[in-house]
Amino acid sequence: QVQLVESGGGLVQAGDSLRLSCVASGRTFSNYGMGWFRQAPGKEREFVAGIVGSADGPYYAEFVKGRFTMSRTNANNAVYLQMNSLKPEDTAVYYCAAKYYSGRYYPVSVAAEYDYWGQGTQVTVSS
């Protein structure tokens, strides 16, 4: 089992920044690919950013390119999502997810590929 705990969400104004953190525990963190997803009210969960395995990536959804940066620190068992130039449409619950990486290719943007999920952290951007 892998436990994931997100933090760093909050209420900000358009144009502000936030840094989300996700700390993992329970297994060898470097064996897991990591992803960030988000879900707005009434919408499907969507991919934001991901790293395949320990170091391939990060890959980003088109709508966050140039604004969001994902990073991971295996020594801290953590991944981060630096979000700049936030927009009201970025309002959502943000989740981190982990997938055991066996070395085989997997589509990093597909939520069903991931084995473990955090509880989510709310990000609200006011206009």
Side-chain angles (χ1 to χ4, degrees), residues 28-51:
T28 303
F29 182 66
S30 59
N31 289 341
Y32 288 80
M34 300 298 294
W36 284 100
F37 291 77
R38 71 185 188 185
Q39 188 166 19
K43 295 189 175 181
E44 297 283 320
R45 188 168 299 191
E46 63 181 357
F47 170 74
V48 176
I51 296 174

Side-chain angles (χ1 to χ4, degrees), residues 4-117:
L4 302 171
V5 179
E6 303 99 331
S7 61
L11 172 62
V12 297
Q13 294 187 327
D16 285 351
S17 299
L18 278 176
R19 186 185 191 226
L20 305 184
S21 299
C22 173
V23 177
S25 61
R27 294 287 175 90
T28 303
F29 182 66
S30 59
N31 289 341
Y32 288 80
M34 300 298 294
W36 284 100
F37 291 77
R38 71 185 188 185
Q39 188 166 19
K43 295 189 175 181
E44 297 283 320
R45 188 168 299 191
E46 63 181 357
F47 170 74
V48 176
I51 296 174
V52 176
S54 186
D56 181 7
Y59 300 92
Y60 298 99
E62 197 63 36
F63 55 80
V64 302
K65 282 184 179 179
R67 298 191 299 126
F68 292 9
T69 302
M70 179 180 181
S71 60
R72 73 181 287 162
T73 305
N74 289 342
N76 293 342
N77 287 359
V79 292
Y80 308 96
L81 187 67
Q82 177 67 43
M83 307 187 294
N84 298 329
S85 302
L86 283 161
K87 305 175 181 180
E89 51 263 45
D90 293 319
T91 295
V93 177
Y94 283 71
Y95 299 90
C96 74
K99 174 182 172 59
Y100 179 74
Y101 184 56
S102 63
R104 185 175 64 88
Y105 165 80
Y106 67 93
V108 66
S109 63
V110 175
E113 289 286 340
Y114 290 80
D115 304 307
Y116 302 100
W117 292 82

